[in-house]
Amino acid sequence: MLPTILASGAFDVELWRPGPRDHGRRADETRRLQNIMAGTSEVGEETQELSNCKKRTISCAAKAAENDEDVDEFDMVYKEIEDRKQWLDDMIALGRGDVYRRQIQNEIAVRIKRLEQLDRARNSSGENSSWQ
C-alpha cells in the first residue's frame, strides 16, 4: 500500500513560485503613503479636504476666542460639568458607572471650585453672579 501512495506522488513537495511582480506600482504607492503620513507633498484629495476642514475649525476657534463676550469661561465650565454628569449617567445606564463614578465626581468637584473662583472674581469686579 505504501509503495502505491509514494508512486502516486501524494507526498511530493511542490516548489513555490512567486506570482508576477509589479515593483514600480508598489514603490509608487509606498512613497505616496509615506508622504501622506509625513504630511508633505502628494497629498490625496481626501486628505486635502480633511486639512481644509481642520483649517476652518481652527479659524472658527480663533474667531470665537477673539469674541470674548460670546465665549464666557463661567458658562464653558458649567457646560463641562453638565457634560460630565450626562456622561456619568450614560455609563451608569450601561452598567459601567462604578468604574468611572469616583473619577468623574472628582472632575466635577474641581470644576465647581473653578466656578466658585470665577464667581468670586465676578463679584469683586462688580459683575452680576449668574450662579447661585
Side-chain angles (χ1 to χ4, degrees):
M1 177 94 134
L2 184 61
T4 50
I5 294 174
L6 291 174
S8 70
F11 290 105
D12 291 343
V13 178
E14 294 182 23
L15 295 176
W16 179 78
R17 296 187 183 176
R21 296 182 184 177
D22 191 8
H23 289 296
R25 180 173 170 233
R26 188 173 184 190
D28 290 340
E29 184 68 14
T30 302
R31 197 173 313 108
R32 185 182 73 82
L33 291 174
Q34 286 174 342
N35 288 334
I36 288 172
M37 296 303 287
T40 57
S41 63
E42 288 190 28
V43 179
E45 292 177 17
E46 294 176 8
T47 308
Q48 286 177 349
E49 290 174 9
L50 288 174
S51 65
N52 289 339
C53 290
K54 287 180 184 176
K55 288 177 186 175
R56 278 186 253 138
T57 303
I58 291 170
S59 65
C60 288
K63 288 178 185 176
E66 290 174 4
N67 296 334
D68 283 336
E69 52 274 347
D70 291 341
V71 178
D72 185 21
E73 186 177 359
F74 188 88
D75 293 333
M76 188 172 65
V77 174
Y78 186 76
K79 287 178 185 176
E80 288 178 8
I81 291 172
E82 292 299 317
D83 288 342
R84 279 165 176 73
K85 284 181 183 178
Q86 180 62 41
W87 188 84
L88 182 59
D89 291 340
D90 292 344
M91 288 297 111
I92 290 170
L94 293 172
R96 303 283 295 173
D98 295 335
V99 176
Y100 300 105
R101 180 175 284 123
R102 182 173 292 155
Q103 176 186 356
I104 298 300
Q105 286 176 344
N106 287 337
E107 290 179 11
I108 290 172
V110 168
R111 279 160 182 79
I112 288 174
K113 288 180 184 176
R114 180 65 183 148
L115 284 179
E116 290 170 353
Q117 290 172 351
L118 291 171
D119 191 41
R120 275 188 241 120
R122 276 185 179 179
N123 289 337
S124 66
S125 68
E127 294 182 19
N128 292 333
S129 174
S130 63
W131 186 69
Q132 298 270 335

